[in-house]
Amino acid sequence: MGVLHAGNLTRRVGCAEVGWVIDTAAERAEQTACELGSAWTTDLDRALEDPTVEGVLLATPTNLHAEMVERSLAAGKHVFCEKPLTLELETTLRLIDQADAAGLVLQVGFHRRFDPDWLAMARWSEAGELGQALIFRASQRDMVAPESTEFLASFGGLFVDAVIHDLDCARWLVGEVNEVQAHGASLSSPTYGELGDADNALVVLHFACGALGVIDYSRTAGYGYECSAEILGARGTIRLGANQQSHDVRWLRHGVQSVDHPLDHQHRHAAAYLAEVEHFAEAIQGSPPAGATGEDVVQAFVLAQASARSLLAGHPVRVESGSREREAAS
Ligand SMILES: NC(=O)c1ccc[n+]([C@@H]2O[C@H](COP(=O)([O-])OP(=O)(O)OC[C@H]3O[C@@H](n4cnc5c(N)ncnc54)[C@H](O)[C@@H]3O)[C@@H](O)[C@H]2O)c1
């Protein structure tokens, strides 16, 4: 993700310049810096000491976010951090407070909030033409599950790492969620189950407004990447389809029509990934906030943690809006 964001900032965001590429993998840092015409280092502090650096974009393994965000804010830099902000609620709250107190931007990578399709869905939903919301559905599918145990140990598990996007969208589009119940299976490798995680999962949601929701997630959908959703309302339905592509090429034979699928999230969400870093650069220059607020970041994380706990506990977990989850009687 770091290479993607740095490339977007350098080549496509007029008001931004990438001063440093930082990666403990020196070869990767040097190669990326060379391509972008930036300086490079393996040590974040070198960049933090540079007074011309105004903002830091962090796309390191998730278990490193907390410490790196804290150091960057302490150095007076604005921060864009990939999601999830941290792996602990207390730390998440503390960093948001730290940024607020210092008057610094702390943007978290909930890129769908900048995606044209999801934004259109939000506009329709906010316009009130759906009538009462009845059912929210979201599907997210990756083609191939990550195999490395290093990834599994450092990214926080399926719900906190990935389903968090759908949970954030559920709140954004329908409203607060009171209860989650997760089901999961470890189908591509027993490792997921051994770690208390899953590679395929369902989360059933109960919204405060009375609507129901269901999210399905697969890390092992061999056909391609999918990110689709629907809000079923009493007067209308908004549906975000599965095949969003920048082109529309179909293969037609008698009785058969096939459509290409995005390969992965970078392919599907290219516009959103650009728009979110463009916003970060503009926010540093004082443009009004957009995307997920600190409260959104916290609540999406609370729901993700509640889902992970529900999977382990085998029963629903209640979530009080604005507070921590508590387990529902099974
Ligand atoms: N928003 C999204 O759609 C999305 C998609 C994928 C990943 N992510 C998030 O992005 C983050 C990175 O994920 P990724 O898939 O790009 O991981 P990655 O493993 O591909 O890249 C992480 C990079 O960080 C470097 N690194 C490790 N420790 C470091 C340190 N101490 N200092 C500097 N560099 C260090 C690694 O060498 C590596 O190049 C994660 O938090 C992940 O959740 C978000």
Side-chain angles (χ1 to χ4, degrees), residues 1-2 22-25 28 42 59-62 64-65 68 82-84 109 111 151 155 161 165 265 273 276:
M1 291 304 293
I22 309 145
D23 199 312
T24 42
R28 194 171 309 153
T42 55
T60 46
T62 303
L64 303 180
H65 290 179
M68 296 178 94
E82 265 305 344
K83 54 82 288 229
H111 61 278
F151 171 89
F155 281 67
D161 174 51
H165 286 297
H265 59 93
Y273 290 133
E276 67 176 350

Short mmCIF file of all heavy atoms in Angstrom, two decimals, residues 1-2 22-25 28 42 59-62 64-65 68 82-84 109 111 151 155 161 165 265 273 276, ligand 1:
data_model
loop_
_atom_site.label_atom_id
_atom_site.label_comp_id
_atom_site.label_asym_id
_atom_site.label_seq_id
_atom_site.Cartn_x
_atom_site.Cartn_y
_atom_site.Cartn_z
N MET A 1 0.83 -1.20 0.00
CA MET A 1 0.00 0.00 0.00
C MET A 1 0.87 1.26 0.00
O MET A 1 0.52 2.25 -0.61
CB MET A 1 -0.91 0.02 1.23
CG MET A 1 -2.00 -1.02 1.20
SD MET A 1 -3.07 -0.94 -0.25
CE MET A 1 -3.92 0.61 -0.02
N GLY A 2 1.99 1.20 0.70
CA GLY A 2 2.85 2.38 0.79
C GLY A 2 3.34 2.82 -0.58
O GLY A 2 3.36 4.03 -0.90
N ILE A 22 10.38 5.62 3.41
CA ILE A 22 10.96 4.97 4.61
C ILE A 22 10.51 3.52 4.62
O ILE A 22 9.31 3.22 4.58
CB ILE A 22 10.44 5.65 5.90
CG1 ILE A 22 10.65 7.16 5.81
CG2 ILE A 22 11.12 5.06 7.13
CD1 ILE A 22 9.55 7.94 6.48
N ASP A 23 11.46 2.61 4.66
CA ASP A 23 11.13 1.19 4.79
C ASP A 23 12.32 0.48 5.39
O ASP A 23 13.47 0.73 4.98
CB ASP A 23 10.78 0.60 3.40
CG ASP A 23 10.01 -0.71 3.52
OD1 ASP A 23 10.43 -1.59 4.30
OD2 ASP A 23 8.99 -0.85 2.82
N THR A 24 12.07 -0.37 6.37
CA THR A 24 13.18 -1.11 6.97
C THR A 24 13.77 -2.10 5.96
O THR A 24 14.91 -2.55 6.14
CB THR A 24 12.72 -1.87 8.23
OG1 THR A 24 11.44 -2.44 7.97
CG2 THR A 24 12.63 -0.96 9.44
N ALA A 25 13.03 -2.43 4.92
CA ALA A 25 13.59 -3.22 3.82
C ALA A 25 14.30 -2.21 2.90
O ALA A 25 13.68 -1.57 2.04
CB ALA A 25 12.48 -3.95 3.07
N ARG A 28 13.86 -2.09 -0.92
CA ARG A 28 12.54 -1.62 -1.37
C ARG A 28 12.46 -0.10 -1.25
O ARG A 28 11.96 0.60 -2.12
CB ARG A 28 11.44 -2.28 -0.53
CG ARG A 28 10.06 -2.13 -1.12
CD ARG A 28 9.05 -2.97 -0.38
NE ARG A 28 9.48 -4.35 -0.26
CZ ARG A 28 9.11 -5.16 0.73
NH1 ARG A 28 8.31 -4.73 1.68
NH2 ARG A 28 9.53 -6.41 0.78
N THR A 42 15.86 3.98 6.20
CA THR A 42 15.20 2.87 6.90
C THR A 42 14.71 3.32 8.28
O THR A 42 14.13 2.56 9.02
CB THR A 42 16.19 1.69 7.11
OG1 THR A 42 17.34 2.20 7.79
CG2 THR A 42 16.59 1.06 5.78
N ALA A 59 1.96 3.07 6.14
CA ALA A 59 1.35 1.86 5.60
C ALA A 59 2.24 0.67 5.97
O ALA A 59 2.61 -0.14 5.14
CB ALA A 59 1.19 1.96 4.09
N THR A 60 2.57 0.63 7.25
CA THR A 60 3.40 -0.45 7.78
C THR A 60 2.48 -1.55 8.33
O THR A 60 1.27 -1.33 8.46
CB THR A 60 4.29 0.09 8.92
OG1 THR A 60 3.48 0.87 9.78
CG2 THR A 60 5.42 0.92 8.38
N PRO A 61 3.02 -2.72 8.67
CA PRO A 61 2.18 -3.74 9.30
C PRO A 61 1.41 -3.14 10.48
O PRO A 61 1.93 -2.29 11.22
CB PRO A 61 3.19 -4.79 9.74
CG PRO A 61 4.31 -4.66 8.75
CD PRO A 61 4.40 -3.19 8.47
N THR A 62 0.17 -3.60 10.65
CA THR A 62 -0.75 -2.94 11.57
C THR A 62 -0.23 -2.88 13.01
O THR A 62 -0.47 -1.89 13.72
CB THR A 62 -2.11 -3.65 11.50
OG1 THR A 62 -2.54 -3.62 10.14
CG2 THR A 62 -3.15 -3.00 12.38
N LEU A 64 2.49 -2.17 14.04
CA LEU A 64 3.47 -1.09 14.22
C LEU A 64 2.83 0.30 14.19
O LEU A 64 3.48 1.30 14.48
CB LEU A 64 4.55 -1.16 13.13
CG LEU A 64 5.33 -2.47 13.02
CD1 LEU A 64 6.34 -2.38 11.90
CD2 LEU A 64 6.04 -2.78 14.34
N HIS A 65 1.54 0.36 13.80
CA HIS A 65 0.91 1.68 13.62
C HIS A 65 0.99 2.55 14.87
O HIS A 65 1.36 3.73 14.79
CB HIS A 65 -0.58 1.52 13.25
CG HIS A 65 -0.83 0.98 11.87
ND1 HIS A 65 -2.08 0.76 11.38
CD2 HIS A 65 0.02 0.61 10.88
CE1 HIS A 65 -2.01 0.28 10.15
NE2 HIS A 65 -0.74 0.17 9.83
N MET A 68 4.27 4.25 15.69
CA MET A 68 4.74 5.15 14.62
C MET A 68 3.83 6.39 14.51
O MET A 68 4.30 7.49 14.23
CB MET A 68 4.83 4.40 13.30
CG MET A 68 5.86 3.29 13.35
SD MET A 68 5.96 2.34 11.82
CE MET A 68 7.28 3.19 10.98
N GLU A 82 -2.87 3.88 7.57
CA GLU A 82 -3.74 2.83 7.04
C GLU A 82 -4.61 2.25 8.17
O GLU A 82 -4.27 2.34 9.34
CB GLU A 82 -2.90 1.72 6.38
CG GLU A 82 -2.75 1.90 4.89
CD GLU A 82 -4.10 2.00 4.16
OE1 GLU A 82 -5.13 1.66 4.73
OE2 GLU A 82 -4.10 2.46 3.01
N LYS A 83 -5.73 1.69 7.78
CA LYS A 83 -6.62 1.09 8.77
C LYS A 83 -6.11 -0.29 9.16
O LYS A 83 -5.40 -0.89 8.37
CB LYS A 83 -8.05 1.00 8.23
CG LYS A 83 -8.19 0.28 6.88
CD LYS A 83 -8.25 -1.18 6.76
CE LYS A 83 -7.32 -2.18 6.91
NZ LYS A 83 -6.90 -3.25 6.24
N PRO A 84 -6.45 -0.83 10.30
CA PRO A 84 -7.04 -0.12 11.42
C PRO A 84 -5.97 0.74 12.10
O PRO A 84 -4.79 0.42 12.02
CB PRO A 84 -7.50 -1.26 12.34
CG PRO A 84 -6.52 -2.35 12.07
CD PRO A 84 -6.15 -2.24 10.63
N GLY A 109 -7.20 5.19 6.86
CA GLY A 109 -7.45 4.73 5.49
C GLY A 109 -8.76 3.98 5.25
O GLY A 109 -8.73 2.86 4.72
N HIS A 111 -10.84 3.98 2.80
CA HIS A 111 -10.86 4.55 1.45
C HIS A 111 -12.24 4.55 0.80
O HIS A 111 -12.53 5.36 -0.07
CB HIS A 111 -9.88 3.79 0.56
CG HIS A 111 -10.24 2.34 0.42
ND1 HIS A 111 -9.90 1.40 1.36
CD2 HIS A 111 -10.94 1.69 -0.53
CE1 HIS A 111 -10.38 0.23 0.99
NE2 HIS A 111 -11.01 0.37 -0.15
N PHE A 151 2.01 -12.26 8.56
CA PHE A 151 0.86 -11.39 8.27
C PHE A 151 -0.24 -11.66 9.27
O PHE A 151 -0.81 -10.74 9.87
CB PHE A 151 0.35 -11.65 6.84
CG PHE A 151 -0.95 -10.95 6.54
CD1 PHE A 151 -0.96 -9.66 6.03
CD2 PHE A 151 -2.17 -11.56 6.79
CE1 PHE A 151 -2.16 -9.00 5.78
CE2 PHE A 151 -3.37 -10.92 6.55
CZ PHE A 151 -3.37 -9.63 6.04
N PHE A 155 -1.58 -8.44 11.69
CA PHE A 155 -2.63 -7.61 11.09
C PHE A 155 -3.95 -7.66 11.85
O PHE A 155 -4.93 -7.03 11.44
CB PHE A 155 -2.82 -7.96 9.61
CG PHE A 155 -1.75 -7.35 8.74
CD1 PHE A 155 -0.42 -7.75 8.83
CD2 PHE A 155 -2.06 -6.36 7.83
CE1 PHE A 155 0.57 -7.18 8.05
CE2 PHE A 155 -1.08 -5.78 7.02
CZ PHE A 155 0.24 -6.20 7.13
N ASP A 161 -8.85 -6.53 10.47
CA ASP A 161 -8.03 -6.21 9.30
C ASP A 161 -8.89 -5.87 8.08
O ASP A 161 -8.56 -4.95 7.33
CB ASP A 161 -7.13 -7.41 8.96
CG ASP A 161 -6.35 -7.21 7.66
OD1 ASP A 161 -5.71 -6.15 7.53
OD2 ASP A 161 -6.41 -8.09 6.78
N HIS A 165 -13.90 -2.60 7.06
CA HIS A 165 -14.39 -1.70 6.00
C HIS A 165 -15.91 -1.82 5.87
O HIS A 165 -16.62 -0.82 5.72
CB HIS A 165 -13.76 -2.07 4.65
CG HIS A 165 -12.33 -1.67 4.51
ND1 HIS A 165 -11.91 -0.37 4.55
CD2 HIS A 165 -11.21 -2.41 4.31
CE1 HIS A 165 -10.60 -0.31 4.37
NE2 HIS A 165 -10.15 -1.54 4.24
N HIS A 265 -8.10 -5.44 -4.49
CA HIS A 265 -8.62 -4.16 -3.98
C HIS A 265 -7.95 -2.97 -4.64
O HIS A 265 -8.57 -1.93 -4.84
CB HIS A 265 -8.49 -4.10 -2.46
CG HIS A 265 -7.09 -4.23 -1.96
ND1 HIS A 265 -6.28 -3.16 -1.71
CD2 HIS A 265 -6.34 -5.33 -1.67
CE1 HIS A 265 -5.09 -3.59 -1.28
NE2 HIS A 265 -5.11 -4.89 -1.25
N TYR A 273 -8.34 5.20 -3.59
CA TYR A 273 -7.01 5.32 -2.99
C TYR A 273 -6.36 6.65 -3.38
O TYR A 273 -5.63 7.25 -2.59
CB TYR A 273 -6.12 4.14 -3.38
CG TYR A 273 -6.52 2.82 -2.76
CD1 TYR A 273 -6.62 1.65 -3.52
CD2 TYR A 273 -6.80 2.73 -1.40
CE1 TYR A 273 -6.99 0.44 -2.96
CE2 TYR A 273 -7.18 1.53 -0.82
CZ TYR A 273 -7.27 0.39 -1.60
OH TYR A 273 -7.64 -0.80 -1.03
N GLU A 276 -8.31 9.59 -1.44
CA GLU A 276 -8.07 9.73 0.01
C GLU A 276 -6.74 10.42 0.30
O GLU A 276 -6.65 11.22 1.23
CB GLU A 276 -8.20 8.39 0.75
CG GLU A 276 -7.15 7.37 0.42
CD GLU A 276 -7.26 6.09 1.23
OE1 GLU A 276 -8.05 6.01 2.20
OE2 GLU A 276 -6.52 5.13 0.88
N1 LIG B 1 -7.20 0.34 2.98
C1 LIG B 1 -7.00 -0.81 2.37
O1 LIG B 1 -7.76 -1.21 1.50
C2 LIG B 1 -5.80 -1.64 2.72
C3 LIG B 1 -5.43 -2.70 1.89
C4 LIG B 1 -4.30 -3.43 2.23
C5 LIG B 1 -3.58 -3.12 3.38
N2 LIG B 1 -3.99 -2.10 4.16
C6 LIG B 1 -3.25 -1.76 5.39
O2 LIG B 1 -1.99 -1.20 5.01
C7 LIG B 1 -1.00 -1.56 5.97
C8 LIG B 1 0.16 -2.19 5.24
O3 LIG B 1 -0.30 -3.32 4.56
P1 LIG B 1 0.48 -3.88 3.28
O4 LIG B 1 -0.38 -4.96 2.72
O5 LIG B 1 0.92 -2.77 2.39
O6 LIG B 1 1.74 -4.53 4.00
P2 LIG B 1 3.15 -4.95 3.35
O7 LIG B 1 3.69 -6.00 4.24
O8 LIG B 1 2.99 -5.23 1.89
O9 LIG B 1 4.03 -3.63 3.47
C9 LIG B 1 4.48 -3.17 4.71
C10 LIG B 1 5.82 -2.49 4.48
O10 LIG B 1 6.23 -1.94 5.73
C11 LIG B 1 7.64 -2.14 5.85
N3 LIG B 1 8.03 -2.04 7.27
C12 LIG B 1 7.93 -2.99 8.23
N4 LIG B 1 8.36 -2.50 9.41
C13 LIG B 1 8.72 -1.21 9.19
C14 LIG B 1 9.25 -0.17 10.02
N5 LIG B 1 9.46 -0.36 11.32
N6 LIG B 1 9.54 1.03 9.44
C15 LIG B 1 9.31 1.23 8.13
N7 LIG B 1 8.83 0.28 7.30
C16 LIG B 1 8.53 -0.91 7.82
C17 LIG B 1 7.85 -3.52 5.26
O11 LIG B 1 9.20 -3.75 4.91
C18 LIG B 1 6.92 -3.46 4.04
O12 LIG B 1 7.58 -2.93 2.89
C19 LIG B 1 -1.70 -2.47 6.98
O13 LIG B 1 -2.07 -1.74 8.10
C20 LIG B 1 -2.95 -2.95 6.25
O14 LIG B 1 -4.04 -3.22 7.12
C21 LIG B 1 -5.08 -1.36 3.84
#
